[in-house]
Amino acid sequence: MSNPITIKLFLASGRSTGIRTAEISNWSGMALAAPKTEFPAFLARPELEGSGVYFLIGQDPASGNNAVYIGEAETLRKRLPTHRDKDFWVQVVVFTSKDQNLSKAHIRYLEGRLISIAQEIGQSEVRNTQASGSKLSESDTADMEIFLSRIRQLLPVLGSGVLTPIAGPKTGNSDTVPLVCRIHDLEARGERTESGFVVFSGSQAVREDRPSAGAWSIELRKLLLEKGVLVDKGDHLHFEKDYEFSSPSAAAGLIRGGNTNGLTSWRHPTTGERLREIESGE
């Protein structure tokens, strides 16, 4: 079981999407976030006089995919304005230290680790692929890994899933098993997540859409083929990567090629119980 933490969230603009700060009890760091529309007011914050790492979050205008730029700065107030003309980002999130104890080596280390993690998770296209990086002493490395863990806890609270991995198949002694969705001789495996439904790599889907397929499903199928999430195997499509859908029905609909009720299409692999029955405890 994860250790509980207390997060203090302050809405400086009085709105959940405006300028806000976030802190964790007994942690020397803090986070600040703002939409691009409030960038001038954000830059006036005194906390930005210090060093830290930052995320510029938005969508790639060409592909429509989530995108992020991750950087570091010894003086955040001076560095952030240089990114004003980047047109993809709509949100900025900064992490700094309340006691000003982040050195240049610290923030370079954090930047390198953050870029590496974001690339591995693949939730967003990382717009900068290289980081300066930095080698630290054993004790400093331990301290920065704790700082990094706090960043990963706070980013979702501030509305970004850049560092949040898609749920993977359950292994070991887990009490749950992946659900299955079948059509003809094809099978897909997946499970509920906090934000939707993930279909695991290795799953299969029909190659052609049925007449009942909505325009969104047809376009999503094309997009996933372009991104390499789906690969055409000739007689079916194959999931090369885990992919999170907005709902069980969205996942089942793409797998079966048409409108599908995900609550009845996803079943326990051995008992045959439908997702609806599993979640209702019937």
Side-chain angles (χ1 to χ4, degrees):
M1 182 177 178
S2 300
N3 294 325
I5 61 171
T6 298
I7 295 176
K8 179 181 178 181
L9 191 63
F10 175 65
L11 308 181
S13 302
R15 304 187 321 280
S16 60
T17 56
I19 297 175
R20 53 216 186 273
T21 68
E23 301 176 57
I24 295 177
S25 298
N26 301 316
W27 181 49
S28 62
M30 70 177 301
L32 301 93
K36 197 170 188 178
T37 53
E38 297 187 37
F39 197 49
F42 181 72
L43 290 176
R45 299 283 306 186
E47 298 92 341
L48 299 191
E49 287 292 342
S51 61
V53 291
Y54 57 90
F55 297 76
L56 303 177
I57 301 163
Q59 287 188 324
D60 183 276
S63 67
N65 296 332
N66 293 331
V68 63
Y69 181 97
I70 302 171
E72 53 83 11
E74 288 185 274
T75 305
L76 290 159
R77 191 196 305 279
K78 293 180 180 179
R79 176 62 173 158
L80 289 172
T82 65
H83 300 296
R84 195 190 301 267
D85 293 336
K86 287 184 171 67
D87 63 351
F88 81 92
W89 68 274
V90 296
Q91 191 82 203
V92 56
V93 182
V94 163
F95 290 88
T96 186
S97 172
K98 290 180 287 188
D99 55 15
Q100 301 296 314
N101 66 351
L102 289 177
S103 68
K104 183 65 173 179
H106 290 151
I107 58 178
R108 282 184 172 179
Y109 176 86
L110 288 172
E111 180 197 43
R113 289 281 285 123
L114 291 167
I115 289 175
S116 176
I117 293 169
Q119 290 174 329
E120 180 180 352
I121 290 174
Q123 291 278 47
S124 298
E125 295 179 1
V126 181
R127 300 299 290 264
N128 53 323
T129 57
Q130 295 183 342
S132 54
S134 181
K135 289 188 176 181
L136 301 176
S137 67
E138 184 177 4
S139 61
D140 278 356
T141 297
D143 287 343
M144 288 305 99
E145 286 298 316
I146 293 173
F147 200 98
L148 178 63
S149 70
R150 295 310 191 191
I151 291 176
R152 299 188 70 168
Q153 287 175 319
L154 285 178
L155 261 182
V157 175
L158 295 170
S160 173
V162 169
L163 302 180
T164 303
I166 296 175
K170 293 290 192 297
T171 58
N173 297 320
S174 174
D175 293 332
T176 62
V177 295
L179 302 177
V180 297
C181 177
R182 298 187 175 101
I183 180 170
H184 307 311
D185 58 346
L186 304 178
E187 180 179 285
R189 298 177 305 119
E191 70 178 14
R192 278 277 200 188
T193 63
E194 293 179 352
S195 53
F197 194 95
V198 64
V199 175
F200 300 140
S201 63
S203 294
Q204 301 169 315
V206 297
R207 190 170 180 271
E208 303 293 339
D209 287 301
R210 293 184 279 125
S212 64
W216 67 268
S217 180
I218 296 173
E219 290 303 313
L220 179 58
R221 183 184 296 266
K222 291 179 180 177
L223 177 63
L224 296 186
L225 283 166
E226 292 173 0
K227 294 174 64 176
V229 175
L230 287 174
V231 172
D232 192 336
K233 295 293 187 178
D235 59 347
H236 72 278
L237 300 180
H238 185 269
F239 280 81
E240 293 291 303
K241 307 173 183 177
D242 295 345
Y243 186 80
E244 187 173 42
F245 292 82
S246 59
S247 69
S249 293
L254 186 136
I255 290 162
R256 293 187 164 190
N259 289 340
T260 303
N261 185 340
L263 294 178
T264 57
S265 297
W266 289 100
R267 295 173 176 263
H268 190 282
T270 55
T271 67
E273 284 183 289
R274 298 174 296 181
L275 177 58
R276 174 184 292 162
E277 297 161 349
I278 294 171
E279 294 186 334
S280 67
E282 295 177 359

